[in-house]
Amino acid sequence: MTATKGLEGVVAAQSAVCSIIDGVLCYRGINVDELAENATFEEVVYLLWHGALPKRDQLEAFQKELGANAQIPQELIESIRNFPEGVHSMAALRTAVSSLALYDKEAQEMSKEANYRKSIRLTAQTPTIVAAYDRLRKGLEPIAPREEYSVAKNFLYMLSGEEPSDTAVKAFDTALILHADHEFNASTFSARVTVATLTDIYSGVVSAIGTLKGPLHGGANEAVATMLEKIGSVNRVVPYIRQALDNKEKIMGFGHRVYKDGDPRAKWLRRMSKELTEQQGKTELYEMSVEIEEMVTGEKGLKPNVDFYSASVYVSLGLAIDLFTPIFAISRMSGWTAHIMEQYENNRLIRPRADYIGPVNQHFIPIDQR
Ligand SMILES: CC(=O)SCCNC(=O)CCNC(=O)[C@H](O)C(C)(C)COP(=O)(O)OP(=O)(O)OC[C@H]1O[C@@H](n2cnc3c(N)ncnc32)[C@H](O)[C@@H]1OP(=O)(O)O
Ligand SMILES: O=C([O-])CC(=O)C(=O)O
C-alpha cells in the first residue's frame, strides 16, 4: 500500500453539493460568479441545502425561519462572558458552537427533519455567537438579532448596534456567498468523516471549526491581515516578501491544492477590496495587496486564493482581524451542514488505511532494562 501525501487528487466520495471542474466553481451546478453577481446569501444557503434556488414564497419563508432562529440561549451568553480573557477567537467559537448542543433538545435526534432544523439553527446562531463574543470581550452587552434582517445585515448590526450601510451589507453578503462551500476542503472533509460514524451534527461542525482554524486553511485570512499590518506601507512590500521567499516561508493567501490557475473567488474579493478601500480612504491596503500579488505570482507562479483579498475587504469593513476566520465559519456553516446532510443520506464509515513505515518485530522490554 502506498500513500498519496495529503490525499492530493484522491476522490474520496461522490457529492452533488459543489463542484470544481477545470477551475470553475459551482454550487449545485450554478457558477459561483453568477451567484456572487445575482444571489443573496440566503438564496445560496437554500440552494446548497435543497439543490435548487427558492421561489419567492420559499425564500421569504426561509428568511423568516433563519431570522426566528438567530437567538442564542442566555446560558450560552453567560458562558461566553466567563471565557478566559484573550482566548483565541476560533477556540471561543468552537467551544460556543459545541455548547449549543447542550441547550438543544434535538441534539441527538437523527431524523432528516431534525438535522435540517439543526442546520437552520446552526447557520442562524453562529453569527450571533461571533457578535456576542466580540462585544462581551470588550465589556459590552450583546445585541439581540433582529428577525427581519438578513444574515449579513444582522451580523454587522449585532457587532456595533448601528444600522450598517447598504454598501457594507452588500459587500459582506457577497463575501458570505463566496465562502459558503468548496467541495471536499479540509474542514468539510473532517465534518464528513466525523458524521460518517453516525455521531450528531454538532460534533461534525465542531470538527470542522477546529479544522478551519489552521493557517493553511481558513486561518490564512487572519494571517494575511497580520502580514499587511506588519508590512505597513507599499514601499516595504518588496523587502518583506523578498526576505520571506528567501527564508522559504509561505506567503499567506497564495496557492491552492486544487486551483493552479487561480481561485475564481479571488477576482471578486480583489474588486471589492479596491472599491471598499477607496471608499474608506485605505487605498494603501489595496495597493500593498496588489504589489504582493505581482511579486508572489511573478516569482513563484502562485495566485491569490479566497483568503488573500478577503483580508483587506474585512479590514475596510472595520472588522477586527481575529474575527476574519470566525466570519469564514459563519458562511461555511451552510456548506458544512449541506455536506453533513448529504453524508447522512448515503452513509458509509470513512476509514482509510495507513502506509506503515515504522519499526517491525519489536518486543516489550521490562522498564529497568530500557
Ligand atoms: C480557504 C483556504 O483554505 S485557501 C488556502 C489558504 N491557505 C493559505 O493561503 C496558506 C498558504 N498556502 C499554502 O500553504 C498552500 O498553497 C496550500 C496549503 C493552500 C496548498 O498546499 P499544497 O497543495 O499541499 O501545496 P504545497 O504546500 O505542497 O506547495 C507546493 C509548493 O509550492 C510552494 N508554496 C505553496 N504555497 C505557497 C505559498 N503560499 N507561499 C510560498 N510558497 C508556497 C510550497 O512551498 C511548495 O514548494 P516546493 O515544492 O518547492 O516545496
Ligand atoms: O478547498 C480548499 O482546499 C480550501 C478552500 O479554498 C476553501 O475551503 O474554500
Side-chain angles (χ1 to χ4, degrees):
M1 285 189 296
T2 46
T4 307
K5 198 169 181 195
L7 299 183
E8 178 164 8
V10 171
V11 177
Q14 292 184 321
S15 173
V17 180
C18 175
S19 60
I20 307 170
I21 299 167
D22 297 332
V24 177
L25 170 62
C26 294
Y27 298 164
R28 299 279 185 186
I30 304 180
N31 192 318
V32 78
D33 289 342
E34 277 185 46
L35 295 168
E37 181 83 50
N38 302 299
T40 61
F41 178 60
E42 285 75 5
E43 279 178 291
V44 165
V45 178
Y46 188 101
L47 171 70
L48 290 172
W49 291 351
H50 293 264
L53 287 167
K55 295 184 196 305
R56 192 176 299 279
D57 57 334
Q58 290 171 323
L59 179 61
E60 277 167 16
F62 188 64
Q63 283 164 332
K64 274 203 183 123
E65 225 178 337
L66 284 170
N69 281 284
Q71 293 266 7
I72 55 173
Q74 188 58 35
E75 293 92 328
L76 177 56
I77 293 179
E78 295 317 316
S79 157
I80 297 172
R81 197 189 301 280
N82 290 319
F83 282 174
E85 212 182 310
V87 288
H88 193 283
S89 57
M90 284 296 278
L93 180 65
R94 192 185 56 213
T95 301
V97 171
S98 182
S99 304
L100 276 178
L102 307 180
Y103 304 107
D104 187 341
K105 290 193 173 55
E106 287 194 309
Q108 309 306 323
E109 171 62 55
M110 291 300 279
S111 70
K112 189 175 169 178
E113 294 73 19
N115 280 323
Y116 182 78
R117 288 191 292 272
K118 285 183 273 185
S119 300
I120 291 264
R121 289 197 282 278
L122 278 162
T123 303
Q125 291 173 331
T126 302
T128 314
I129 288 176
V130 177
Y133 157 77
D134 188 52
R135 289 185 67 84
L136 287 164
R137 68 179 174 169
K138 293 174 177 158
L140 301 168
E141 278 309 301
I143 291 169
R146 309 232 354 208
E147 282 201 34
E148 69 279 21
Y149 282 2
S150 68
V151 172
K153 185 168 181 180
N154 229 349
F155 177 66
L156 297 175
Y157 164 72
M158 286 188 287
L159 280 178
S160 68
E162 285 161 22
E163 287 276 311
S165 70
D166 289 348
T167 321
V169 173
K170 175 75 189 128
F172 194 67
D173 197 69
T174 307
L176 292 180
I177 292 172
L178 294 169
H179 286 83
D181 198 32
H182 211 243
E183 204 220 36
F184 277 17
N185 64 87
S187 54
T188 300
F189 190 58
S190 33
R192 290 189 76 128
V193 170
T194 302
V195 302
T197 67
L198 294 185
T199 187
D200 65 289
I201 194 166
Y202 285 100
S203 302
V205 298
V206 170
S207 290
I209 294 171
T211 310
L212 187 75
K213 175 172 176 283
L216 295 188
H217 189 19
N221 59 8
E222 178 180 339
V224 171
T226 307
M227 172 176 74
L228 290 171
E229 256 189 2
K230 271 197 212 153
I231 297 175
S233 62
V234 179
N235 61 5
R236 284 176 37 85
V237 166
V238 172
Y240 182 95
I241 299 293
R242 175 77 287 121
Q243 191 179 21
L245 291 178
D246 288 350
N247 291 343
K248 306 248 172 282
E249 286 166 24
K250 282 193 164 172
I251 314 297
M252 291 293 133
F254 285 88
H256 199 276
R257 174 60 68 79
V258 179
Y259 301 118
K260 299 302 171 198
D261 237 3
D263 182 330
R265 300 164 295 178
K267 63 176 178 298
W268 284 95
L269 292 154
R270 191 184 206 268
R271 195 181 307 163
M272 285 158 66
S273 166
K274 185 173 190 310
E275 285 166 11
L276 290 168
T277 53
E278 272 167 13
Q279 280 163 25
Q280 298 300 316
K282 292 181 178 165
T283 48
E284 187 147 30
L285 262 183
Y286 175 72
E287 286 156 14
M288 273 162 43
S289 306
V290 170
E291 183 100 0
I292 297 170
E293 179 183 351
E294 277 169 13
M295 192 163 171
V296 175
T297 306
E299 297 213 8
K300 299 280 294 183
L302 293 163
K303 306 257 173 77
N305 57 48
V306 71
D307 286 322
F308 187 65
Y309 283 101
S310 63
S312 45
V313 165
Y314 296 153
V315 173
S316 306
L317 290 174
L319 303 167
I321 289 180
D322 69 345
L323 294 189
F324 294 5
T325 316
I327 287 167
F328 196 152
I330 288 174
S331 165
R332 189 55 61 87
M333 187 59 78
S334 62
W336 292 331
T337 46
H339 280 271
I340 289 171
M341 289 188 280
E342 184 181 60
Q343 183 67 38
Y344 284 143
E345 281 286 290
N346 184 18
N347 188 61
R348 192 168 188 219
L349 180 77
I350 300 172
R351 198 291 188 203
R353 294 299 313 274
D355 174 13
Y356 180 70
I357 55 163
V360 293
N361 295 328
Q362 300 292 296
H363 294 286
F364 180 79
I365 303 166
I367 195 157
D368 51 5
Q369 290 170 34
R370 285 175 212 160

